[in-house]
Amino acid sequence: GAVVSQHPSWVICKSGTSVKIECRSLDFQATTMFWYRQFPKQSLMLMATSNEGSKATYEQGVEKDKFLINHASLTLSTLTVTSAHPEDSSFYICSAPTTGHKETQYFGPGTRLLVL
Amino acid sequence: AQSVTQPDIHITVSEGASLELRCNYSYGATPYLFWYVQSPGQGLQLLLKYFSGDTLVQGIKGFEAEFKRSQSSFNLRKPSVHWSDAAEYFCAVGPKGYQKVTFGTGTKLQVIP
């Protein structure tokens, strides 16, 4: 079946550096992708909607200059955490809905970010 | 605003026993409801969804869920749990399709021999 991949699966970085996370739809095209953040023992919180060929739509309270999203192609969206701080440490998950009569949504396996 | 409540943070059941995971939602219109399962190292997998029609929905892996509008509930059930069902389960609600889905806080299922 359709798969969504994320890279890297985990990353450790120093405070102040930037980290890029990739989300790829492997065998289908996704004009829209979603980025979520999951804190330990908490739910997934939608951060933003990534739109191919246009600007991302951010949820209330999410800093767009901090979490840069680029949807460069129909199979790739990237989330860049700029000037990362320890409070940005979290589990980031992307998802991509399919279209058509078998509409569904596939989630990536997630990227664990630890900022020291 | 839409919201989802999963009152049970953690549930332990014996293998072979029946399972029911509770989910209550708040949504201003006709809800689209989902149950997802998350296993360590893997992405969320859709177990089943309810958009309309029959209120008893069958999903993968032997799971089913029943939509009860009067109770604003969408509980997940399985008649006989297998050890491989140990995972975290999320209930979610949203508008049509898969846009702007709101997730509950999840229920972690432990299966004991």
Side-chain angles (χ1 to χ4, degrees):
Chain A
V3 175
V4 171
S5 70
Q6 282 184 241
H7 178 80
S9 56
W10 61 272
V11 55
I12 301 173
C13 70
K14 293 181 179 180
S15 186
T17 61
S18 294
V19 175
K20 180 185 285 187
I21 302 170
E22 293 184 348
C23 177
R24 293 182 185 272
S25 57
L26 296 185
D27 58 359
F28 67 100
Q29 294 181 334
T31 56
T32 299
M33 291 184 177
F34 301 100
W35 285 98
Y36 294 86
R37 184 173 178 176
Q38 185 180 26
F39 292 99
K41 302 187 187 302
Q42 293 189 30
S43 181
L44 284 76
M45 301 297 295
L46 180 64
M47 297 175 65
T49 303
S50 174
N51 304 298
E52 189 270 336
S54 64
K55 292 182 179 180
T57 305
Y58 290 83
E59 295 302 301
Q60 191 172 12
V62 177
E63 301 175 58
K64 61 181 180 181
D65 295 330
K66 173 103 179 135
F67 299 99
L68 300 179
I69 291 174
N70 185 11
H71 199 137
S73 75
L74 288 171
T75 59
L76 173 64
S77 174
T78 60
L79 169 68
T80 301
V81 184
T82 63
S83 187
H85 288 98
E87 57 265 31
D88 298 324
S89 299
S90 192
F91 194 53
Y92 293 88
I93 300 173
C94 71
S95 72
T98 63
T99 57
H101 76 284
K102 288 192 175 182
E103 185 183 36
T104 188
Q105 177 164 223
Y106 293 100
F107 284 80
T111 297
R112 187 159 306 276
L113 170 63
L114 176 61
V115 184
L116 302 177
Chain B
Q2 58 195 50
S3 66
V4 178
T5 301
Q6 292 181 249
D8 303 307
I9 297 173
H10 190 275
I11 282 184
T12 300
V13 299
S14 298
E15 190 169 14
S18 63
L19 171 70
E20 182 169 32
L21 302 182
R22 295 182 292 166
C23 172
N24 292 95
Y25 67 90
S26 174
Y27 194 71
T30 301
Y32 289 79
L33 294 155
F34 311 85
W35 273 100
Y36 286 89
V37 60
Q38 184 181 38
S39 299
Q42 299 187 23
L44 275 77
Q45 182 181 22
L46 180 66
L47 288 175
L48 47 79
K49 62 182 183 286
Y50 172 78
F51 283 176
S52 64
D54 193 347
T55 56
L56 184 62
V57 181
Q58 302 297 320
I60 63 171
K61 304 184 179 185
F63 286 92
E64 66 177 24
E66 186 171 13
F67 170 58
K68 292 186 177 180
R69 184 187 298 275
S70 62
Q71 298 177 21
S72 297
S73 69
F74 189 57
N75 294 348
L76 181 71
R77 301 193 294 250
K78 186 169 184 177
S80 178
V81 171
H82 188 262
W83 64 266
S84 61
D85 293 325
E88 188 145 24
Y89 293 80
F90 291 91
C91 181
V93 66
K96 182 179 180 180
Y98 296 86
Q99 311 290 323
K100 296 278 190 175
V101 174
T102 297
F103 287 83
T105 50
T107 297
K108 191 164 187 177
L109 173 65
Q110 181 181 9
V111 181
I112 57 177

